Amino acid sequence: MSKFKKKKSGELPPVSTASLPDIVFMLLFFFMVATVMRKNTLMIENKLPSADQIEKLDKKNLVMYIYAGKPSSRYRASAGSQARIQLNDKFADVSEVKAFVLAERAAKREEEVPFLITALKIDGNTNMGLVGDIKKELREVQALKINYTTKSGKASDNFK
């Protein structure tokens, strides 16, 4: 006759944590892939004009952005109400555009420099004099590939 041993205590067995590192790394990988990093904080009003014949840029890493427009209500007290230029995360003067373009070129690999595009994200109500000044500064540093960023729509919507 055999003897059966009874468990003396009714405790549950410990939870297995063997698969926990796999789950943590899977979640980490998911959030790294799904998260989008915002490059710049927009400090100006940027209501882009509409256009009906637009093309999408393929390589966004070869684009340097220059924003222009009136400062948003949050920054109006310190920056005024006149149209301003924003380079990266700070307001800038027209004379600083050259240094910005040269710094962007220096940050890229040598073979990518000829393919750099300057994208102007200009508010629809911005004075063309400011845009002309920006373009003049770009010409002086031979940044001749310029893209005007717009939103999709009818061009007649800009006159409303």
Side-chain angles (χ1 to χ4, degrees):
M1 195 164 158
S2 65
K3 289 186 179 180
F4 293 101
K5 291 185 180 180
K6 276 190 160 182
K7 289 186 179 179
K8 299 208 176 187
S9 63
E11 294 179 18
L12 292 173
V15 176
S16 174
T17 58
S19 64
L20 191 60
D22 294 336
I23 295 169
V24 169
F25 283 116
M26 213 167 39
L27 286 171
L28 178 67
F29 182 73
F30 171 77
F31 286 115
M32 284 173 49
V33 171
T35 302
V36 177
M37 296 294 194
R38 184 173 30 158
K39 285 189 172 186
N40 296 324
T41 302
L42 201 56
M43 299 165 57
I44 61 167
E45 292 177 2
N46 201 295
K47 295 177 183 145
L48 298 174
S50 299
D52 55 1
Q53 296 180 6
I54 59 175
E55 293 180 25
K56 192 168 187 169
L57 292 175
D58 294 331
K59 296 186 177 183
K60 300 241 185 211
N61 62 333
L62 296 176
V63 179
M64 53 186 143
Y65 294 97
I66 297 177
Y67 302 92
K70 291 182 181 178
S72 61
S73 58
R74 182 185 205 187
Y75 299 99
R76 235 176 237 147
S78 62
S81 61
Q82 294 295 322
R84 299 286 308 264
I85 298 173
Q86 179 184 340
L87 303 173
N88 291 334
D89 280 336
K90 67 180 181 88
F91 288 115
D93 193 38
V94 176
S95 61
E96 296 177 50
V97 172
K98 283 186 206 174
F100 170 73
V101 171
L102 294 174
E104 289 288 320
R105 283 183 184 166
K108 301 292 181 193
R109 294 192 323 240
E110 186 69 32
E111 59 270 7
E112 291 178 336
V113 171
F115 303 106
L116 281 176
I117 298 171
T118 306
L120 299 178
K121 288 192 170 187
I122 310 293
D123 183 57
N125 296 323
T126 302
N127 188 345
M128 276 304 291
L130 180 62
V131 178
D133 292 343
I134 294 171
K135 287 174 55 177
K136 181 182 169 200
E137 293 293 314
L138 292 172
R139 262 185 251 123
E140 290 180 13
V141 288
Q142 298 297 313
L144 304 176
K145 291 183 181 180
I146 299 174
N147 172 31
Y148 292 96
T149 305
T150 64
K151 64 181 178 182
S152 182
K154 295 180 183 177
S156 60
D157 293 345
N158 296 324
F159 301 113
K160 292 180 182 177

